[in-house]
Amino acid sequence: MSYTKTNDDGLWEVDGFVEVLIEPSEVFIEKRKIIDEEREQQKILDSLIPNEKEILMAEIEIQTIQILQEGGLL
């Protein structure tokens, strides 16, 4: 047997151990917006971390520049 309940997050339908949010509150929507924005910011920050290939390429470039400087070509 299912029933509905209301809390700060909104209106829920409850059936046994399953709870489904059927009408979110403004508070819930604002919380979700903040969580989504934080996830997006973290995703952007994570994309700034170089992967192993990028690090290797940068090290090769640095070594190449050093060799050219030592040879007087730069």
Side-chain angles (χ1 to χ4, degrees):
M1 179 171 181
S2 66
Y3 62 94
T4 59
K5 72 175 186 176
T6 303
N7 62 17
D8 290 341
D9 292 335
L11 179 63
W12 295 81
E13 183 173 341
V14 181
D15 187 5
F17 295 107
V18 179
E19 295 182 1
V20 178
L21 182 62
I22 55 177
E23 191 176 316
S25 68
E26 290 298 320
V27 172
F28 180 85
I29 293 170
E30 287 302 316
K31 282 190 226 177
R32 290 293 306 176
K33 284 181 184 178
I34 291 169
I35 290 169
D36 291 344
E37 288 172 4
E38 288 172 351
R39 283 186 184 150
E40 188 63 31
Q41 289 173 356
Q42 188 61 49
K43 184 178 175 183
I44 291 169
L45 288 175
D46 290 344
S47 73
L48 297 175
I49 299 171
N51 61 38
E52 288 186 36
K53 182 179 178 183
E54 292 169 324
I55 292 171
L56 179 60
M57 292 301 295
E59 289 172 349
I60 291 170
E61 290 174 5
I62 290 169
Q63 290 173 357
T64 302
I65 291 169
Q66 289 174 341
I67 291 169
L68 292 172
Q69 287 176 334
E70 289 171 1
L73 300 172
L74 276 182

